[in-house]
Amino acid sequence: MTIQEPTSANLAGQTQGNGEPHNAEVNVAITGAAGQIGYSLLWRLATGEVFGERRVNLRLIEVGEGVKAAQGVAMELLDSAFPLLGQITVTEDLHEGFRDAHAVFLVGAKPRQKGEERSDLLAANGGIFGPQGKAIGEVASPDVRVLVVGNPANTNAAIVAAHAEGIAPRQITAMTRLDHNRALGQVAEKLGGGVAELDRMIVWGNHSASQFPDVTELTLKGKPVADQLDQAWLTEEFIPRVAKRGAEIIEVRGRSSAASAASSAVDHMRDWFNGIEGEWVSVALPSDGSYGVPEGIVCSFPCRLVDGQWEIVQGLSINEFQRERIEKTVAELQEEFQTVKDQGLV
Ligand code: NAX
């Protein structure tokens, strides 16, 4: 299939100051489009929920048997008759998929096989995310926003950042918004409030069991709530539950989280394109050394949006409990980073 060129690609994602987008269409690439997250995500992207009133051209990037399945997904998208849905492209070719892309969701990844070491998994994914990063650098729109969902998401994003020449590190992120949303859900249930009344939740570190969901700065209707949450509940229930929620979902549902993952990916990209006033969300991005996290590793931080770019919230005082938890998850990220460095992937 051919791809229609965008009318004003470089202005995508920018607004006129009144919240209205300049340009009429946006090119969106999704790898792993035939997977279960893709099956939920694509419908949300086609509605206008993320990119507003712009025409959405979807590039569904798949491999192997996934290509035929993605063609079926494309047929269903067509059958949904979305007024804002433009061209749908199904491809295995990274250059075709990423050409002039303004938003990229890297969802497809190689899952860990039985008996496989963590280093094997990192190497296998390096073989996927390195070439994807390179192709993004070569053909995507210069203002492209990239969200890595496929696991191990943080280190996969570090590999993308190392290969995406000409793309600023801050344009490449990994998803910890699902962990953030899971943490909000747990606290809202505990306190009996709505998630919309909560702000300043933080997830630090890796999208893995070592992550640190942190309520130290959390507010409910603008007022701090840490004092209302007892330490035993936080350390024995809340933190492990959020960190291992993925495994809990598999145990109960029989399959991994897909709709909640897609929903969080939508939240991440919608906020990035449209802005969020003053709010904090958790975003994994290449560290600039903030909070002692070594530069280059992709770590989840509290972030807010300033002029369309994620900025790490600065100046938080970190107590001993937080320091210990942050160091633990950062140590895991450093180890992963070192492994892919030794493999020549970053
Ligand atoms: P599925 O196995 O349902 O789908 C994955 C799809 O990716 C398949 O259709 C496969 O053909 C395709 N694929 C594999 N390699 C590819 C490549 N090189 N290029 C393009 N497509 C490729 O998995 P799904 O449940 O959709 O999950 C996708 C990924 O998200 C997994 O790595 C999973 O671990 C990860 N997750 C990350 C989360 C996060 O918060 N960061 C949460 C949800 C999810 O677990």
Side-chain angles (χ1 to χ4, degrees):
M1 277 193 233
T2 50
I3 302 172
Q4 188 170 324
E5 292 296 320
T7 47
S8 53
N10 293 341
L11 291 173
Q14 297 179 2
T15 60
Q16 299 174 39
N18 59 2
E20 291 302 313
H22 279 290
N23 59 320
E25 59 181 25
V26 60
N27 299 322
V28 185
I30 303 100
T31 67
Q36 53 157 1
I37 293 176
Y39 200 58
S40 191
L41 177 62
L42 288 161
W43 268 259
R44 302 277 300 272
L45 299 178
T47 58
E49 189 175 342
V50 177
F51 306 106
E53 288 299 304
R54 272 174 279 188
R55 197 172 108 117
V56 180
N57 297 318
L58 293 175
R59 278 70 172 286
L60 280 50
I61 303 174
E62 262 292 349
V63 288
E65 288 174 5
V67 176
K68 182 161 181 267
Q71 279 160 354
V73 172
M75 288 159 68
E76 276 201 84
L77 281 165
L78 191 67
D79 294 349
S80 301
F82 288 114
L84 287 169
L85 185 53
Q87 201 152 17
I88 311 170
T89 307
V90 177
T91 185
E92 262 186 288
D93 182 305
L94 296 179
H95 285 99
E96 186 182 22
F98 294 135
R99 190 168 305 283
D100 300 320
H102 306 113
V104 172
F105 295 83
L106 297 179
V107 182
K110 186 182 175 292
R112 196 168 179 164
Q113 307 294 334
K114 216 175 169 188
E116 217 175 37
E117 298 290 330
R118 199 171 172 79
S119 57
D120 298 331
L121 178 74
L122 288 163
N125 279 297
I128 293 174
F129 288 86
Q132 289 180 351
K134 186 167 180 286
I136 289 168
E138 285 165 354
V139 299
S141 174
D143 64 355
V144 65
R145 291 155 160 96
V146 180
L147 174 62
V148 178
V149 175
N151 281 319
N154 297 55
T155 300
N156 289 341
I159 294 169
V160 172
H163 289 79
E165 220 170 287
I167 305 294
R170 281 297 157 86
Q171 290 169 240
I172 294 162
T173 60
M175 189 166 89
T176 48
R177 186 64 175 267
L178 176 57
D179 309 293
H180 180 99
N181 287 345
R182 285 167 170 167
L184 287 176
Q186 292 302 313
V187 172
E189 198 172 65
K190 176 82 174 165
L191 295 177
V195 288
E197 293 164 344
L198 294 168
D199 188 22
R200 306 197 165 190
M201 177 65 80
I202 306 172
V203 173
W204 299 93
N206 202 359
H207 169 68
S208 76
S210 77
Q211 67 179 257
F212 173 35
D214 181 7
V215 300
T216 313
E217 303 288 333
L218 187 69
T219 59
L220 176 70
K221 294 185 189 166
K223 297 204 177 82
V225 285
D227 290 353
Q228 295 171 44
L229 299 162
D230 66 274
Q231 197 60 26
W233 179 79
L234 285 173
T235 52
E236 282 153 41
E237 286 187 50
F238 171 73
I239 295 174
R241 187 155 210 202
V242 172
K244 295 177 188 161
R245 186 67 158 180
E248 188 184 358
I249 299 287
I250 293 174
E251 173 80 26
V252 178
R253 180 180 177 252
R255 299 183 76 184
S256 59
S257 6
S260 55
S263 196
S264 301
V266 162
D267 287 347
H268 181 111
M269 205 57 100
R270 182 202 56 229
D271 289 348
W272 202 353
F273 269 79
N274 299 300
I276 34 168
E277 254 178 53
E279 236 180 275
W280 297 9
V281 288
S282 303
V283 176
L285 40 72
S287 175
D288 58 1
S290 295
Y291 297 99
V293 178
E295 269 181 53
I297 71 167
V298 173
C299 179
S300 183
F301 289 101
C303 289
R304 55 183 154 216
L305 265 165
V306 179
D307 297 331
Q309 293 296 329
W310 295 115
E311 251 189 40
I312 298 169
V313 174
Q314 297 294 334
L316 301 177
S317 60
I318 303 293
N319 65 34
E320 206 176 313
F321 175 76
Q322 290 172 294
R323 174 63 53 206
E324 204 178 286
R325 298 273 170 163
I326 294 170
E327 279 175 1
K328 183 169 160 257
T329 188
V330 168
E332 184 185 56
L333 281 170
Q334 275 180 284
E335 208 179 294
E336 288 184 14
F337 193 80
Q338 191 58 48
T339 304
V340 293
K341 201 170 175 187
D342 293 344
Q343 292 166 341
L345 296 168
V346 291

